[in-house]
Amino acid sequence: SSELTQDPAVSVALGQTVRITCQGDSLRRYYASWYQQKPGQAPILVLYDNNNRPSGIPDRFSGSSSGNIASLTITGAQAEDEADYYCNSRDRSAYPLEGVFGTGTKVTVL
Amino acid sequence: DVQLVESGGGLVQPGGSLRLSCAASGFSFNTYYMHWVRQVPGKGLVWVSRINSDGTSTNYADSVKGRFTISRDNAKKTVYLQMNSLTVEDTAVYYCVRDKEEWLLSWWFDPWGQGTLVTVSS
């Protein structure tokens, strides 16, 4: 099965910009979606179809993709953005298609 | 409000069975694909299974294929996950998740239920 690899942890100063990456073969064909998970809570969708935000998600969250790497950028990070972030795509190697999540990135806001 | 409420989790011995339920409300249940995603406490998310809107098509992760069965009752607005031959590796929080797009399999998961914990232990 395909894998999506993320950096385990990143930190960002309050109000600064942080970029989280997700790498995997599936991303050459399928856009990533991104999920935010705070301790003790269920994940929520923050980006889908590369750079679309569900209603209620602040516009400081943006996405991009190039080759086999997808990125989530938080511009002007806030304290409430501290969370685990997971990318997701379809498993290109599986038929029928399966879902695959990234390994997750813990974002700390300093 | 769109809401998904899981139930049925608990402690089960290895080799045992459990059926999870997910009651949906606040949207047209019979027009959406539904998924189950699990998470070992402190670890990452793992997609488990999906079912199409009328229940005629299902798919599973290799790790549960042949042991788990997803189904749905559109009249009751409920999706199920029957889990058989459970092992300690199946211990996790199980989330019921709606596919974001109506009628389509988009693989965008929104929203998520609050999760139900399944513990497999002797």
Side-chain angles (χ1 to χ4, degrees), chain B residues 25-67:
Chain B
S25 60
F27 66 99
S28 179
F29 180 72
N30 63 354
T31 63
Y32 287 86
Y33 282 70
M34 297 295 295
H35 304 261
W36 287 95
V37 175
R38 70 183 181 184
Q39 183 175 37
V40 174
K43 302 296 184 183
L45 301 169
V46 177
W47 174 83
V48 173
S49 182
R50 65 88 178 156
I51 188 167
N52 70 342
S53 56
D54 64 5
T56 58
S57 174
T58 60
N59 194 25
Y60 303 90
D62 285 346
S63 58
V64 306
K65 206 169 290 184
R67 301 187 300 121

Side-chain angles (χ1 to χ4, degrees), chain B residues 71-101:
Chain B
S71 61
R72 65 192 294 161
D73 184 332
N74 284 347
K76 295 182 177 179
K77 297 185 177 182
T78 301
V79 61
Y80 305 97
L81 187 67
Q82 176 68 44
M83 304 184 296
N84 298 330
S85 303
L86 286 162
T87 73
V88 295
E89 286 75 33
D90 296 315
T91 294
V93 174
Y94 285 74
Y95 293 101
C96 170
V97 193
R98 192 192 73 175
D99 201 278
K100 185 183 184 306
E101 297 294 306

